Amino acid sequence: MEGEAGERVDLTLLRRHLGAFLLLFCAAWSLVAAPPVAAAPGISRISDIRAWTNEIYTRVAIYTGDEVSWEANTLRADPLHGLPPRIFIDIRGAGIHDGILHKPVEIRNGLLRQVRAGRFDRGTVRVVIDLERESTYRVFALPAPFRIIVDIDGEGEIPALPVSPGPVAAGSSPENPVPSPAAPTASPAIPPSFESPRVAALPPSPARKPRVSVMIDPGHGGKDPGAIGPTGLKEKDVVLDIARRIREKLLLSGEFDVRMTRDEDVFIPLEERTAMANKGSVDIFVSLHINASRNRRAEGFSTYVLSRGASNREDLELAARENGVPVQKLQGVKFIIDDMFTGARKNESLRLAKTVNDAVVRHVSTRYPGAQSNGLKQAPFYVLVGARMTAVLVEASFISNTREEARLRDPACLDGIADGVVEAVRYYGQNGILAHTDY
Ligand SMILES: [Zn+2]
């Protein structure tokens, strides 16, 4: 959570990988034109634009439904025309929902002014992010449903309430970069879902920050049940139960500020979970999941950290399932993860992941001797992409295994899993190996 995030990102701007499906690139203002980024053509349209603000960046998500071809670029401030610095995303072959035209999403958080969209030319929709000041940013796409995520670095003021869409602004201002003066009638209308209610509902930061802040992320929820066991036990219910136990135990110690990405049976997109974790100086992010396999005998516990690829087919299949995409979509993935953050945090994340896994297996073994450890692993989990803190993902046994599914119905087993996570997090906190440590 260092303040030098912006400068650090500069270093990665040229590291751009193109993947068949997930594409990320880092860019800075010195990068005048990013080459087009991929994707198969399809009939899709921009259906929603949302934004979240936290102390490190503001995240804008542009939902297009189907995969689209897109390109991001920047424009410097144009005082002659009264235009601020801008980031724009050209989306080709896409339409735009009428509700988004001519209604900019007003943000005005000291970092972003507004987000608007319009038809740039016959085949292109342009989404323009008007900035209050120049800033580094990253753009990447996530599939199923396809959405383009723009993270603009810098601290934004977090408003108490969403702001209503303002009057149409900027009309025919020269949002088009040099070539086409036929400026788009660009002011988009984006539903004012500026801060999602769930994000906005997060408790305010306490006046006196406890030593360690932990975000527990029970995977799945709502329409997404996660994996389902042979007798119908749902992953989403199990991980929520475990998360509540962890929260209760951590709060009892008095050493932690504990939050949860969800505390009920609701669906939350993966990228929103990460944005929530980055909000409010969270030190440790623990995503909770239960594994599943076609091999009904597969068993045991493993804990993951984010990596660009997976070391074997099983981990790749797991990441694909947790990401909600077919495995083929994941195979071409080249993650550009912000090495500044993940590089620094990765060692910490690896350390925490190993501690978590060992402790969970040990605690569960006291109730169920022979609980198996599959150890520390790495895979490309979307929910961990962009996390600025020490972040791990626990796969707490296999719900597809009849014996392990039965265990997961036993509160004592869930308590053991929670005890393991709590022990590891406390150990990690007490030893001062915190994400806030500068590297
Ligand atoms: Zn899961």
Side-chain angles (χ1 to χ4, degrees):
M1 238 104 354
E2 297 83 358
E4 66 273 27
E7 290 81 357
R8 289 174 152 202
V9 169
D10 279 346
L11 302 174
T12 66
L13 77 155
L14 293 178
R15 244 175 285 166
R16 188 173 56 247
H17 291 229
L18 301 184
F21 199 80
L22 179 81
L23 302 151
L24 299 98
F25 70 87
C26 301
W29 284 93
S30 53
L31 184 63
V32 174
V37 198
I43 300 169
S44 51
R45 64 178 183 170
I46 298 169
S47 57
D48 194 9
I49 298 180
R50 308 180 73 189
W52 300 268
T53 298
N54 63 47
E55 284 86 349
I56 302 169
Y57 63 80
T58 294
R59 168 166 285 185
V60 175
I62 304 157
Y63 294 81
T64 64
D66 291 326
E67 192 171 349
V68 293
S69 167
W70 55 276
E71 179 177 352
N73 217 322
T74 60
L75 286 167
R76 291 184 180 278
D78 179 358
L80 275 180
H81 295 91
L83 290 167
R86 284 144 289 161
I87 296 168
F88 62 89
I89 319 290
D90 281 343
I91 299 166
R92 282 180 291 281
I96 184 166
H97 195 281
D98 285 343
I100 293 181
L101 278 168
H102 309 304
K103 280 184 199 161
V105 176
E106 297 281 337
I107 296 177
R108 300 190 187 279
N109 63 358
L111 180 63
L112 269 66
R113 191 171 293 180
Q114 63 178 0
V115 185
R116 53 206 167 84
R119 294 193 183 89
F120 180 66
D121 61 32
R122 185 174 287 271
T124 308
V125 168
R126 172 166 293 181
V127 176
V128 180
I129 301 170
D130 288 326
L131 302 173
E132 300 280 6
R133 58 180 193 266
E134 291 190 355
S135 180
T136 51
Y137 69 99
R138 287 167 301 287
V139 189
F140 56 95
L142 292 175
F146 197 84
R147 63 269 198 204
I148 299 163
I149 310 287
V150 189
D151 287 346
I152 299 108
D153 294 312
E155 184 173 0
E157 297 155 23
I158 301 171
L161 290 168
V163 183
S164 310
V168 173
S172 58
S173 50
E175 282 322 317
N176 36 340
V178 190
S180 162
T185 30
S187 301
I190 293 136
S193 41
F194 168 62
E195 281 263 70
S196 97
R198 286 185 300 276
V199 176
L202 279 176
S205 300
R208 189 172 56 81
K209 187 177 178 296
R211 267 198 314 140
V212 181
S213 172
V214 183
M215 178 70 86
I216 308 294
D217 172 45
H220 314 279
K223 67 184 180 186
D224 171 16
I228 300 177
T231 69
L233 186 64
K234 294 184 177 112
E235 178 184 2
K236 67 172 183 178
D237 297 327
V238 177
V239 292
L240 180 57
D241 189 322
I242 297 169
R244 287 173 173 156
R245 291 168 192 270
I246 293 172
R247 177 178 59 188
E248 189 182 333
K249 291 168 192 286
L250 283 174
L251 287 175
L252 268 179
S253 76
E255 302 164 26
F256 298 92
D257 167 25
V258 187
R259 305 174 203 187
M260 287 167 59
T261 52
R262 67 178 180 97
D263 190 17
E264 54 188 331
D265 186 16
V266 291
F267 176 77
I268 302 179
L270 296 174
E271 69 273 18
E272 187 172 331
R273 296 169 189 257
T274 321
M276 291 166 82
N278 285 330
K279 185 174 185 170
S281 300
V282 167
D283 300 301
I284 299 171
F285 180 75
V286 180
S287 192
L288 297 171
H289 293 262
I290 308 296
N291 214 330
S293 172
R294 284 191 305 272
N295 173 8
R296 290 298 169 97
R297 285 182 300 183
E299 61 175 328
F301 296 81
S302 40
T303 304
Y304 287 78
V305 298
L306 177 65
S307 71
R308 293 179 180 83
S311 53
N312 57 50
R313 178 75 189 183
E314 287 71 31
D315 287 345
L316 195 68
E317 287 178 356
L318 170 65
R321 182 171 59 73
E322 299 290 18
N323 294 339
V325 299
V327 76
Q328 312 86 270
K329 297 285 189 186
L330 207 56
Q331 279 174 322
V333 165
K334 299 282 186 192
F335 271 90
I336 274 276
I337 297 156
D338 198 311
D339 287 274
M340 279 69 220
F341 292 108
T342 46
R345 303 282 178 262
K346 190 156 184 177
N347 286 338
E348 297 311 307
S349 298
L350 287 166
R351 215 172 300 183
L352 177 62
K354 176 157 184 10
T355 314
V356 165
N357 209 63
D358 290 351
V360 166
V361 170
R362 185 157 27 81
H363 279 276
V364 173
S365 294
T366 62
R367 295 144 168 109
Y368 291 97
Q372 181 176 311
S373 171
N374 299 325
L376 168 62
K377 295 185 167 193
Q378 304 189 38
F381 291 105
Y382 294 164
V383 73
L384 300 180
V385 173
R388 300 290 208 261
M389 71 294 301
T390 302
V392 303
L393 186 147
V394 183
E395 292 284 351
S397 75
F398 282 76
I399 206 166
S400 49
N401 177 308
T402 308
R403 188 162 41 90
E404 297 206 331
E405 185 201 24
R407 279 182 198 170
L408 291 168
R409 290 186 185 278
D410 177 2
C413 176
L414 305 186
D415 223 41
I417 295 168
D419 281 338
V421 172
V422 167
E423 181 186 301
V425 166
R426 292 190 70 182
Y427 175 83
Y428 187 82
Q430 285 163 356
N431 284 274
I433 330 169
L434 288 179
H436 280 307
T437 308
D438 283 326
Y439 291 87

